[in-house]
Amino acid sequence: MKRDTLLELCEWLAPALRQRDTRMRPAIPLQKRVAIALWKLSTPDSYRSVGNQFGVGRSTVGAVLMQVVKAISRVLLRRVVRLADPDAVIRGFGALGFANCRGAIDGTHIPICAPEHQASQYVNRKGYFSILLQAMCDHWGQFTDINVGWSGKAHDARVYRNSFVCQKLQAGPSSLITTLGSGMWTCPCAWWGCGLPPYSPGS
């Protein structure tokens, strides 16, 4: 990440992450806290390793990570991830050879440790514990909707039917619009034409 990008991110998150010095110790600088969180999120390093990298304790890394992630979710999620102008997106996909396409959608399993309660609900079809992430992007590859938190046992179609983007599109104009996605998406709204086979170059 470029320094200017980090500073801009810190500027956006500053209102949610502002801390004061105490008599016991000075507050960790904002830029350092954001850098700690980004490092932990982008590498497989342990809390201890990240703490050694930045000169803080292991528990501090955990606390900082939660603070920054919550701030990103509260401040940036709807500012950065949002449904774009549909006409512009349809034109963009049209230029790529996909007529009347509103977005590309897919899901992925995020591995988790076995939860203490109802653990069997989090075992996915591949046999490990996970939660589901469903994401849609526009013709630039920029995310326009994210839905995360369903247990790994849930079907992709169920996640979609209960998502914000499905409800939003069902309430919209009834025109023939398609989306690029795997056959796992079977949608109740006929004009939202899911179930297309995955796209591959040259096909």
Side-chain angles (χ1 to χ4, degrees):
M1 177 181 289
K2 295 181 179 179
R3 178 179 176 83
D4 290 344
T5 304
L6 175 62
L7 294 177
E8 184 178 7
L9 180 60
C10 291
E11 184 179 345
W12 286 351
L13 297 177
L17 292 174
R18 188 174 289 112
Q19 289 185 340
R20 295 181 179 179
D21 295 341
T22 66
R23 293 183 179 181
M24 299 295 294
R25 63 177 64 87
I28 300 175
L30 173 63
Q31 290 87 350
K32 185 173 183 178
R33 282 184 284 145
V34 174
I36 288 172
L38 294 178
W39 189 284
K40 183 66 183 81
L41 291 171
S42 61
T43 69
D45 292 359
S46 65
Y47 285 89
R48 187 182 301 278
S49 176
V50 176
N52 292 337
Q53 182 79 16
F54 289 90
V56 298
R58 182 178 59 179
S59 61
T60 300
V61 174
V64 166
L65 177 63
M66 292 305 299
Q67 292 169 4
V68 175
V69 167
K70 288 180 179 179
I72 290 174
S73 177
R74 185 168 63 253
V75 176
L76 295 183
L77 184 59
R78 289 305 171 193
R79 179 175 181 174
V80 177
V81 181
R82 57 187 178 184
L83 293 176
D85 175 31
D87 293 332
V89 175
I90 291 172
R91 287 195 301 270
F93 274 110
L96 297 175
F98 301 101
N100 298 322
C101 183
R102 180 62 176 79
I105 190 170
D106 203 356
T108 186
H109 288 272
I110 302 175
I112 62 171
C113 296
E116 295 182 1
H117 304 289
Q118 297 182 329
S120 62
Q121 295 298 314
Y122 290 84
V123 179
N124 61 38
R125 64 181 183 275
K126 297 182 180 180
Y128 61 88
F129 296 98
S130 68
I131 59 174
L132 274 166
L133 165 67
Q134 174 191 277
M136 187 172 76
C137 66
D138 62 15
H139 56 292
W140 293 111
Q142 297 176 338
F143 289 113
T144 55
D145 184 73
I146 292 176
N147 184 8
V148 64
W150 282 80
S151 65
K153 192 175 182 179
H155 193 279
D156 290 334
R158 181 185 177 193
V159 175
Y160 173 77
R161 285 196 301 268
N162 289 275
S163 67
F164 166 79
V165 68
C166 181
Q167 297 168 6
K168 186 76 173 178
L169 292 169
Q170 281 183 301
S174 180
S175 58
L176 182 60
I177 301 177
T178 61
T179 184
L180 301 175
S182 70
M184 301 298 289
W185 275 268
T186 54
C187 306
C189 37
W191 58 274
W192 177 249
C194 298
L196 296 178
Y199 170 73
S200 59
S203 62

